Amino acid sequence: QVQLVESGGGLVQAGDSLRLSCAASGLTFRRYAMGWFRQAPGKKREFVAAIAWSDNTTYYVDSVKGRFTISRDNAKNTAYLQMNHLEPEDTAVYYCAAALYATAQAMAVADYGMNYWGKGTLVTVSS
């Protein structure tokens, strides 16, 4: 049974940092591109960042470029999202997703079919 479990969310102030983790089990992690998505209250889920399975190429939504960094550790079957200089607009439930043999940019496509999703972790940024 495949599981993606996010952790690391919480309540922080604007300007603070958080690191989210996505621990994967039940799949051959190194074969999957990993992505982070978020859904703010009353809004649609949006792409945040992704990292390719093959060469660790990364891709970000413009609003987080320079502030967020996605990475992965294949030995630990874990993907990370380092979030710096957090803003109130970053408040959302953050989800990780896995896509078999995908490129990072492909995961940003609105209707791209992810193979697996986590259940999310809440990030709240106060002003």
Side-chain angles (χ1 to χ4, degrees), residues 23-84:
S25 60
L27 75 170
T28 305
F29 183 76
R30 66 181 182 276
R31 296 177 182 174
Y32 288 80
M34 298 299 297
W36 287 95
F37 297 75
R38 65 187 180 187
Q39 186 167 18
K43 295 188 177 180
K44 293 173 59 177
R45 186 164 57 190
E46 68 168 348
F47 169 82
V48 176
I51 184 165
W53 73 278
S54 57
D55 60 1
N56 287 346
T57 300
T58 58
Y59 189 76
Y60 299 90
V61 68
D62 285 347
S63 60
V64 307
K65 284 180 181 177
R67 299 189 300 124
F68 291 11
T69 303
I70 188 171
S71 62
R72 63 189 297 155
D73 185 336
N74 288 346
K76 295 183 178 180
N77 287 357
T78 302
Y80 303 96
L81 185 67
Q82 177 67 43
M83 306 186 294
N84 298 330

